[in-house]
Amino acid sequence: MNGFVLAGGRSTRMGRDKALLQYAGRPLIEHAVQLLNKAGFAPHIVGSRPDLCAYAHIIEDRHPACGPLGGIEAALASSDSEWNAFLPVDLPHLPVAFLQYLRQRAAITAAAATIPLIAGRPQPLCAVYHRSLLAGISRSIEKQDFKVMHGIAGAVPASEIDMFNVESVITAYNHSFSLPLYRWFHNLNTPQDLA
């Protein structure tokens, strides 16, 4: 299964490039690529970022300035995997075990989209998507509707979308984690987040 780091954002709230931002002694892009590697995914980087080619293979956006949905479209169009994992560049606290669970869950359910919910909110940038979503996502981009959840919901029937509560899964999961659950999906969007 391929894994794609979404690294095409403009980092406007951070005020500087997030992908190369140093966190715990390494750039965020290195954290993300290694996380995918450790979880068993073949890592790629999505975004018009030739400067990141030392970390993984780069997938260029097909439609620049369309946000993460454009990156997901480019990844699905280029992928040789049926199912594909996505990870934003700014989630360095996500445990490898969670990504492994996400992969297993997608394989078991065979849903077109496997999307975690944290505190009831979907996390569509940290999810697994089937290539069959590509046509619907492309239609959403053509209509200039760049919201990821709109693109997914418009691509397949609701019955093909598996959204699950991370809290419930972790409660049943016999594993100890070094960080509390609420920190896993804490994006580093601003200098305050980084601090």
Side-chain angles (χ1 to χ4, degrees):
M1 189 182 289
N2 285 320
F4 295 93
V5 180
L6 297 167
R10 294 178 304 205
S11 305
T12 52
R13 287 179 284 173
M14 184 61 75
R16 55 187 166 143
D17 178 38
K18 278 201 286 191
L20 294 174
L21 189 68
Q22 291 290 313
Y23 181 78
R26 294 181 294 150
L28 282 175
I29 190 65
E30 188 176 322
H31 284 277
V33 167
Q34 287 185 356
L35 185 58
L36 288 173
N37 254 328
K38 288 178 182 176
F41 298 103
H44 302 76
I45 299 168
V46 183
S48 301
R49 298 293 306 271
D51 60 319
L52 301 179
C53 68
Y55 298 99
H57 178 72
I58 305 293
I59 306 296
E60 295 276 338
D61 286 332
R62 295 169 66 182
H63 300 99
C66 295
L69 190 64
I72 293 169
E73 180 201 35
L76 293 178
S78 71
S79 182
D80 59 0
S81 296
E82 291 295 311
W83 279 272
N84 302 275
F86 290 86
L87 177 67
V89 73
D90 61 355
L91 284 186
H93 295 265
L94 199 66
V96 171
F98 177 74
L99 282 180
Q100 291 168 331
Y101 172 79
L102 194 61
R103 177 186 178 137
Q104 291 166 354
R105 186 177 181 106
I108 291 167
T109 67
T114 302
I115 303 171
L117 299 166
I118 185 80
R121 295 180 61 187
Q123 303 297 314
L125 304 187
C126 180
V128 173
Y129 297 127
H130 191 271
R131 281 192 313 188
S132 62
L133 294 170
L134 178 59
I137 288 173
S138 295
R139 283 193 302 272
S140 189
I141 289 172
E142 286 168 14
K143 291 190 261 180
Q144 297 195 353
D145 183 353
F146 305 134
K147 293 189 182 294
V148 176
M149 288 306 295
H150 289 183
I152 301 304
V156 291
S159 61
E160 293 184 37
I161 300 173
D162 172 31
M163 289 202 285
F164 66 95
N165 288 306
V166 176
E167 297 91 342
S168 299
V169 169
I170 298 310
T171 300
Y173 203 71
N174 187 19
H175 193 312
S176 61
F177 296 97
S178 60
L179 287 173
L181 176 59
Y182 75 90
R183 296 278 308 275
W184 295 6
F185 291 90
H186 184 201
N187 298 84
L188 300 182
N189 287 322
T190 66
Q192 292 77 20
D193 293 337
L194 180 61

